[in-house]
Amino acid sequence: MDAAEYRKRGKEMVDYIADYLEKVDTRQVFPDVEPGYLRPLIPDCAPQDPESFEDVIKDIENIIMPGVTHWNSPYFFAYFPVASSFPALLADMLCGGIGCVGFSWAASPACTELETVMLDWLGKMINLPKEFLAGKDGQGGGVIQGTASEATLVSLLAARTKTIRRLQSEKPELTKADIMDRLVAYASDQFCATLGTTSCCSFDKLLELGPICNKENIWMHVDAAYAGSAFICPEFRHLLNGVEFADSFDFNPHKWLLVNFDCSAMWVKKRSDVTDAFKLEPLYLQHPHQDSGLITDYRHWQIPLGRRFRSLKLWFVMRMYGVTGLQKYIRKHVRLSHHFEHLVLQDERFEICADVVLGLVCFRLKGSNELNKELLKNINEAKKIHLVPCHLREKFVLRFAICARTVESTHVEFAWQHISQLATDLLKTWKQNHQQ
């Protein structure tokens, strides 16, 4: 494929993606396939000779789309949002076209410097304490990781290295192995200090945890993977109170801030705590400006060596939506979740199982776990909407998350009517079967 054909095919692909996203509500949200469906549909080996673009595109619809769960569908209410927007998709296209591997400033100065500035922008949007920002001469700063899990692991490894070095300085007689055997990581059943847990969007009390961690010299990492995006709205910023006690913090713009996957934003108060744990300096990666103090080499902030130009997505989205546009988007999702909560509360057969704070509603039929498992099974087998469950205090609970960029009140109302009718049908048969 030469540049001329790329221009032609690129325009066709943009049209295909735009058509897909505009009409995704007409596709069945969850696929009708069984495990292993794809292998019989394609050859056992790669083709020896080139195939046409037309043949490849035809197979997208015939082979790939039948096995796709449509996360961008307004009938997708499972897990949490997968952020997507046209500005982000355009930025990702440019990222792929530039193709830099930004492991150091010298490998692509713009890739490094834009990320540093964008993480400062984002940190200011959620009113992070200034200690977390790089600025012109700050000790903190931000980095884009792949996922919140990755950010948590990086924080854990940085905390371990910092603790080992502190103890070696205080007690030189101890070997590294001696110290490693004694290290303890404290966690709840959600792993670390969490703002907006996956199960029910609950919030740990950072104002209680933080002072204890600081007093005992314990690194505190705070994960706000889903909820963090909401902190750009002043009315939700109080949920972040106590972050000033943390050593590291992350949330995922790729969940709820219209930046497509992957883009997990992580900040640390003292960036040397992270870079000291991951520093890698072979001669072929060194460059004249690495010790200037003006820049950072992001290979020292992460587990992989290479990295994509992901900050372009943040730059495009924040500029083309603006803070007010992003706030409007968050507030719409929160309104829709409260609308669904209101519909549930009007039906005395159901109960709400956790406070509805942001865009997630945890609900269930009043009754046994088995009854609710059967209801969820019926919902997902009908494939008109898609939900996933959680356990809360031994109860099997259904989660209803407002996810898609295009979701409206009509989709929420359709979902509730569908759930309500399935519940009616289930309760009739359930009562008959359990009276026999």
Side-chain angles (χ1 to χ4, degrees):
M1 182 181 288
D2 58 17
E5 187 178 3
Y6 173 75
R7 291 177 190 276
K8 178 176 183 293
R9 302 308 187 183
K11 291 171 184 175
E12 292 174 7
M13 183 58 78
V14 167
D15 285 341
Y16 180 88
I17 293 170
D19 287 344
Y20 167 74
L21 291 173
E22 282 189 327
K23 300 171 185 175
V24 69
D25 60 329
T26 65
R27 294 179 184 261
Q28 184 172 282
V29 64
F30 194 78
D32 275 324
V33 296
E34 297 295 329
Y37 91 95
L38 189 143
R39 183 174 289 275
L41 301 180
I42 60 177
D44 286 340
C45 303
Q48 291 288 53
D49 299 314
E51 296 184 7
S52 70
F53 182 80
E54 288 85 357
D55 287 340
V56 175
I57 287 297
K58 183 175 64 177
D59 283 344
I60 293 295
E61 279 299 328
N62 293 338
I63 297 173
I64 302 302
M65 284 300 178
V68 170
T69 299
H70 299 288
W71 284 64
N72 286 291
S73 169
Y75 299 110
F76 182 90
F77 301 104
Y79 312 109
F80 276 126
V82 56
S84 178
S85 65
F86 292 118
L89 292 175
L90 289 172
D92 229 10
M93 186 186 300
L94 180 58
C95 170
I98 293 174
C100 66
V101 183
F103 46 74
S104 71
W105 180 88
S108 190
C111 181
T112 294
E113 296 199 17
L114 185 64
E115 184 162 337
T116 303
V117 176
M118 287 304 99
L119 269 293
D120 275 1
W121 276 21
L122 194 55
K124 290 174 183 178
M125 283 168 61
I126 63 173
N127 198 21
L128 267 185
K130 65 180 181 180
E131 291 85 355
F132 286 101
L133 306 181
K136 291 183 179 179
D137 53 10
Q139 294 186 44
V143 59
I144 298 175
Q145 305 286 6
T147 65
S149 304
E150 191 177 332
T152 301
L153 178 58
V154 166
S155 297
L156 184 66
L157 296 175
R160 184 183 68 176
T161 300
K162 182 179 182 181
T163 302
I164 290 172
R165 291 181 178 178
R166 175 174 60 81
L167 290 174
Q168 284 180 318
S169 174
E170 294 173 358
K171 301 180 179 180
E173 71 276 12
L174 293 178
T175 67
K176 184 175 180 180
D178 292 333
I179 297 171
M180 290 281 282
D181 285 344
R182 303 181 190 184
L183 294 180
V184 176
Y186 294 90
S188 69
D189 59 4
Q190 307 293 325
F191 188 85
C192 64
T194 309
L195 301 179
T197 57
T198 300
S199 293
C200 62
C201 198
S202 61
F203 293 79
D204 285 330
K205 296 179 180 179
L206 299 188
L207 289 170
E208 296 180 13
L209 289 171
I212 296 172
C213 290
N214 287 183
K215 179 183 177 183
E216 300 297 333
N217 206 7
I218 297 172
W219 181 298
M220 184 169 77
H221 176 67
V222 177
D223 179 8
Y226 162 66
S229 297
F231 303 153
I232 68 171
C233 300
E235 64 268 32
F236 299 123
R237 174 55 179 76
H238 70 279
L239 296 169
L240 187 55
N241 288 349
V243 74
E244 60 270 19
F245 297 106
D247 295 275
S248 53
F249 167 77
D250 78 86
F251 81 91
N252 291 345
H254 69 229
K255 274 194 170 73
W256 207 13
L257 211 59
L258 295 171
V259 178
N260 56 304
F261 189 84
D262 60 345
C263 183
S264 184
M266 172 189 173
W267 291 265
V268 290
K269 273 185 179 172
K270 192 173 180 183
R271 57 180 177 265
S272 61
D273 289 341
V274 174
T275 58
D276 286 350
F278 292 91
K279 198 150 193 175
L280 184 68
E281 293 285 25
L283 183 61
Y284 53 82
L285 294 181
Q286 295 176 24
H287 58 88
H289 302 286
Q290 63 186 30
D291 298 319
S292 67
L294 298 175
I295 53 92
T296 185
D297 285 343
Y298 277 119
R299 70 178 181 277
H300 303 316
W301 293 60
Q302 60 180 22
I303 294 169
L305 176 63
R307 57 206 332 274
R308 300 174 70 241
F309 201 165
R310 291 177 291 201
S311 57
L312 283 172
K313 296 186 288 191
L314 280 172
W315 195 40
F316 274 46
V317 168
M318 288 193 282
R319 292 184 65 186
M320 298 185 73
Y321 277 89
V323 176
T324 56
L326 294 170
Q327 289 172 334
K328 182 179 178 182
Y329 176 69
I330 297 290
R331 287 166 178 153
K332 174 188 172 184
H333 274 205
V334 176
R335 281 198 309 273
L336 290 174
S337 71
H338 284 293
H339 182 41
F340 184 80
E341 177 192 26
H342 176 70
L343 295 171
V344 174
L345 289 173
Q346 287 181 317
D347 191 325
E348 61 182 14
R349 302 174 301 173
F350 287 86
E351 60 182 340
I352 297 292
C353 303
D355 292 341
V356 179
V357 181
L358 299 175
L360 175 68
V361 182
C362 292
F363 72 108
R364 72 195 300 272
L365 274 171
K366 295 174 182 176
S368 67
N369 285 346
E370 290 69 26
L371 177 66
N372 282 279
K373 288 178 182 178
E374 190 66 21
L375 175 59
L376 181 64
K377 178 174 176 286
N378 293 347
I379 290 169
N380 284 335
E381 284 184 350
K383 295 182 171 62
K384 294 183 181 297
I385 63 173
H386 189 47
L387 306 181
V388 295
C390 69
H391 274 110
L392 297 179
R393 299 183 181 91
E394 308 305 320
K395 287 186 175 181
F396 185 89
V397 173
L398 282 65
R399 298 171 70 264
F400 188 91
I402 305 297
C403 291
R405 177 177 55 85
T406 56
V407 67
E408 301 288 348
S409 59
T410 53
H411 302 111
V412 171
E413 288 160 6
F414 170 85
W416 172 247
Q417 290 165 6
H418 180 57
I419 293 168
S420 180
Q421 184 58 56
L422 289 175
T424 298
D425 297 340
L426 173 61
L427 288 170
K428 285 180 183 177
T429 58
W430 192 266
K431 184 178 292 186
Q432 291 171 1
N433 293 338
H434 285 74
Q435 284 177 344
Q436 292 175 357

